[in-house]
Structure formats: structure tokens, C-alpha cells
């Protein structure tokens, strides 16, 4: 199947571009095949062919309009291409059928945050965290919203929660340091001095 190439081989960098080609015999034989388009959507997404991935996911959705997995897959290239409004619309289609769908809620919150719809994203994540109180991805997204709203204290607490929930997630620890830097006196002094094209006056370094 797919000339014996698999997603695993793509991850291992042992692949050629023909694995994602629309000219494969199976694609020619089944151009509207649901599984064929679903897999080609995923494989093209993995290899950065976002526009082609979208076409295949859209073909899969056309064949199976009620498919949740195809719509969830479709959100991935949309988000990768920074098409926030379209990703929001697709995620909401899933949630109309499955209101508590984890991936749809998480990806919708991401799309909302990038559109600066912070209150809507915050409400969404608050409801999901009732169901998944220690989920690192939800907590991290919630923390990023707090940080975007300049609520550094809550952001720090949430980032700390992600560290407690999953010590291996160094990403969260890095975000804590970023929050400190954003609030640091010397960072602010340097930024203001650069804006005024003047020499910065620094104080003692501290948290």
C-alpha cells in the first residue's frame, strides 16, 4: 500500500516524495476513496504539503460528511497555514456533534487565541479542564492565554502546574522563564531605552 511506504518510514526520514503523490495507482483507481484521501491528507501534512493535505481531507469529508476524524485531520494543515478562522469553523463542526471532543476543543482554543479571542478560548479551556484537570496541553494553552492577557501571576501558576503534572515537559519550564523575563525590570529598561535610542539604566538583577 502506497508503494510499501508508511508514516513510520517518513518519521525515520526513509521516504521519497512519491509516497504522497496523487498519481499513485490506488489514487487513480479510487479518486474519491475515503481511506485513500484520509491517509494522503495525513502524509502530506507530515511532509509539509499543507495545501495538498487540505485537498485530500476535503475530499475525504465530501465522501463521508459526518466523519469526525477527517474534520479533525483537516484542522491540522489549516492551523499550520495560520488559517485561524477556517480552523475555528471546522473545529466547531466537530463540537456540534461531539461537544467534549478533546482535540477539537484544544485546537479550537489554539485558533481562538491566535485570533486574540481570549475570553472565548478561556471559557472553552475552563470547561475542558474540569474533565482533564492535569492535562499538560490544556494547561499550557490556558497559561499562554493568561500570559497574552498580561495575567502573569496566573500564567506562572498554570505553567508550574504543567511542570508538576509532567516533569519531562521542559517546554513549560521555558515558558515560566519567559514570563519572568517579560516582567523583569531590566528587560523593561532595555526595551524602553531602545525605543528612545538612549542608554539603559539597569537595577539589581532579581526575580
Amino acid at each position: 500500500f502506497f508503494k510499501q511506504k508508511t508514516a513510520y518510514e517518513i518519521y525515520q526520514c526513509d521516504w521519497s516524495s512519491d509516497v504522497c503523490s496523487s498519481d499513485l495507482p490506488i489514487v487513480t483507481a479510487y479518486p474519491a476513496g475515503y481511506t485513500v484521501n484520509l491517509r494522503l491528507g495525513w502524509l502530506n501534512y507530515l511532509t509539509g504539503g499543507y495545501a495538498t493535505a487540505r485537498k485530500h481531507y476535503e475530499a475525504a469529508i465530501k465522501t463521508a460528511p459526518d466523519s469526525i476524524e477527517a474534520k479533525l485531520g483537516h484542522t491540522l494543515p489549516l492551523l499550520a497555514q495560520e488559517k485561524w478562522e477556517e480552523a475555528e469553523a471546522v473545529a466547531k463542526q466537530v463540537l456540534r456533534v461531539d461537544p467534549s471532543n478533546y482535540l477539537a476543543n484544544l485546537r479550537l482554543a489554539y485558533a481562538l487565541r491566535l485570533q486574540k479571542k481570549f475570553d472565548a478560548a478561556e471559557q472553552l479551556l475552563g470547561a475542558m479542564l474540569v474533565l482533564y484537570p492535569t492535562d499538560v496541553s490544556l494547561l499550557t494553552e490556558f497559561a499562554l492565554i493568561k500570559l497574552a492577557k498580561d495575567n502573569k501571576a496566573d500564567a506562572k501558576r498554570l505553567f508550574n502546574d504543567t511542570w508538576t503534572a509532567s516533569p519531562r515537559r521542559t517546554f513549560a519550564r521555558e515558558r515560566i522563564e519567559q514570563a519572568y523575563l517579560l516582567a523583569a525590570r531590566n528587560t523593561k529598561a532595555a526595551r524602553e531605552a531602545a525605543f528612545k535610542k538612549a542608554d539603559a539604566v539597569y537595577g539589581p538583577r532579581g526575580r
Side-chain angles (χ1 to χ4, degrees):
F1 192 60
F2 292 134
K3 296 190 178 179
Q4 309 305 314
K5 299 289 184 178
T6 65
Y8 175 79
E9 289 175 298
I10 287 178
Y11 278 125
Q12 298 300 312
C13 300
D14 178 21
W15 61 281
S16 58
S17 60
D18 60 7
V19 67
C20 300
S21 174
S22 297
D23 297 325
L24 292 170
I26 193 168
V27 182
T28 304
Y30 303 98
Y34 173 79
T35 303
V36 171
N37 280 298
L38 190 72
R39 295 308 298 160
L40 281 173
W42 172 241
L43 293 172
N44 276 281
Y45 167 73
L46 287 179
T47 55
Y50 303 133
T52 304
R54 288 175 55 199
K55 290 179 182 178
H56 285 295
Y57 278 125
E58 288 164 4
I61 292 168
K62 185 176 180 179
T63 301
D66 295 329
S67 169
I68 287 178
E69 63 181 355
K71 290 172 184 172
L72 287 173
H74 194 201
T75 61
L76 293 171
L78 289 172
L79 292 171
Q81 289 187 312
E82 301 184 3
K83 296 184 180 293
W84 314 129
E85 291 183 6
E86 292 181 48
E88 176 186 349
V90 175
K92 285 180 175 178
Q93 289 175 16
V94 174
L95 294 176
R96 279 195 286 270
V97 178
D98 183 7
S100 296
N101 186 283
Y102 172 83
L103 289 176
N105 276 284
L106 179 60
R107 292 172 190 174
L108 175 57
Y110 182 85
L112 290 171
R113 174 170 64 83
L114 271 298
Q115 294 177 79
K116 301 185 186 302
K117 298 179 180 179
F118 301 132
D119 291 340
E122 199 169 18
Q123 183 178 1
L124 192 76
L125 289 168
M128 287 301 292
L129 282 166
V130 173
L131 303 176
Y132 303 95
T134 62
D135 184 83
V136 173
S137 296
L138 293 172
L139 287 168
T140 300
E141 187 61 36
F142 205 15
L144 290 171
I145 291 167
K146 294 292 187 182
L147 194 58
K149 294 177 73 172
D150 204 33
N151 190 338
K152 298 183 181 69
D154 280 352
K156 178 179 180 294
R157 175 182 58 78
L158 287 162
F159 283 132
N160 274 326
D161 286 347
T162 67
W163 178 250
T164 302
S166 180
R168 295 183 180 181
R169 286 293 291 264
T170 55
F171 169 81
R173 211 57 173 170
E174 291 168 359
R175 289 298 192 220
I176 293 173
E177 294 302 320
Q178 289 181 12
Y180 278 130
L181 286 173
L182 285 171
R185 291 191 303 269
N186 286 339
T187 300
K188 182 179 179 182
R191 185 169 58 245
E192 290 178 351
F195 182 75
K196 296 176 182 178
K197 296 183 180 180
D199 292 332
V201 178
Y202 299 114
R205 182 179 178 182
R207 289 292 191 187

